[in-house]
Amino acid sequence: GIFCWSIYYLLEKKFLACTIVTIIACSIHKSAIIVSLILPFLSLQIKSYAAIILIMLSLLGNTIADILSLAVLGFAVLINPLLPDLATNLVVYSDVEKSGYTEISLLSQIISFLFSIILLLSFLYTRHIIAKSSLDFTNKKKLMLKVNIFMNCYIIFTFFLKFFQIPSLANFQRVAEFFTTGYAVSFMLSYNYLKYKISSKILFAFYIILYLYKLKGLLNTSYPELFYPYISIFDSIKR
């Protein structure tokens, strides 16, 4: 929630305020400091083929992450004499045994990947529509900045969520959560423009199917206690 303010400042090109808010947001968990390194690249216009390649690479996430895990372990051994604390943290991040891990079926992975590709293509097409629109230069530039920032957020969210899957380097999945806003805002921007190009009924049907699929995944969490508050009002009354 705090990080969302940094995106607002990024849209307004208030880079100092953006950086300060990002640091505050990342202070909640020190491993998320990598977010501050990603932030400057959010406003870049990524080529369509590069965006698609990133999502495609996420298919190989587990295999590549296992290799990276071994590389991180090797690096930790090398720096241990000089930086023992950092080496210890790197070993934690490369740990292949993660609690709460739930095996994801191949079918679920394929469906999730297809949804990600379809959404990305719709966002890229929306950007193309805006680029070709008759808006004046100033308004078009502002809108393109907004589209690029939130689409990049979506790409980072999807890539980190899929690439750093449990059991390899899963701690970095928390980075994805900073960029969840990109999913919703990109979808909204895309819907607003595509409804003039595609039947609104088709878009609405796709939205419902996607919602039901996401709801299924949400309810199938490994941590059902997250649906409930740590201390309920009834516990307070008993005390």
Side-chain angles (χ1 to χ4, degrees), residues 45-60 113-125 127 151-152 154-156 158-159 162-163:
Q45 183 169 329
I46 299 177
K47 297 289 186 182
S48 298
Y49 68 83
I52 294 171
I53 288 173
L54 280 174
I55 301 300
M56 293 288 287
L57 277 176
S58 67
L59 270 180
L60 304 173
F113 174 75
L114 288 175
F115 269 126
S116 298
I117 285 293
I118 292 171
L119 285 170
L120 178 60
L121 291 175
S122 69
F123 301 158
L124 290 170
Y125 184 56
R127 187 173 70 177
M151 190 177 73
N152 290 341
Y154 170 74
I155 293 170
I156 293 169
T158 303
F159 181 77
K162 295 181 185 299
F163 189 87

Side-chain angles (χ1 to χ4, degrees), residues 30 72-73 75-93:
K30 61 183 180 181
V72 169
L73 275 174
F75 182 64
V77 172
L78 288 175
I79 67 170
N80 187 56
L82 298 174
L83 300 167
D85 291 339
L86 177 59
T88 300
N89 285 332
L90 289 174
V91 170
V92 170
Y93 290 135

Side-chain angles (χ1 to χ4, degrees), residues 20 50 68 98 105-106 121 132 161 180 210-211 220-221 225:
I20 292 172
L68 287 175
K98 299 294 179 185
S105 69
L106 179 61
L121 291 175
K132 298 293 183 181
L161 200 65
T180 52
L210 178 64
Y211 173 79
N220 195 34
T221 177
E225 63 272 16

Side-chain angles (χ1 to χ4, degrees), residues 222-236:
S222 303
Y223 302 97
E225 63 272 16
L226 293 179
F227 287 113
Y228 306 96
Y230 292 109
I231 299 177
S232 72
I233 57 172
F234 300 106
D235 291 332
S236 301

Side-chain angles (χ1 to χ4, degrees), residues 37-51:
L37 303 178
I38 296 173
L39 196 72
F41 300 100
L42 287 182
S43 58
L44 296 179
Q45 183 169 329
I46 299 177
K47 297 289 186 182
S48 298
Y49 68 83

Side-chain angles (χ1 to χ4, degrees), residues 162-178:
K162 295 181 185 299
F163 189 87
F164 293 110
Q165 287 183 355
I166 295 172
S168 297
L169 301 178
N171 272 305
F172 285 108
Q173 276 195 318
R174 66 166 54 90
V175 174
E177 301 305 325
F178 280 84

Side-chain angles (χ1 to χ4, degrees), residues 3 6-7 10 38-45 145 147-153 156 179:
F3 179 69
S6 68
I7 297 179
L10 190 61
I38 296 173
L39 196 72
F41 300 100
L42 287 182
S43 58
L44 296 179
Q45 183 169 329
L145 176 64
V147 169
N148 283 323
I149 286 175
F150 287 107
M151 190 177 73
N152 290 341
C153 282
I156 293 169
F179 301 96

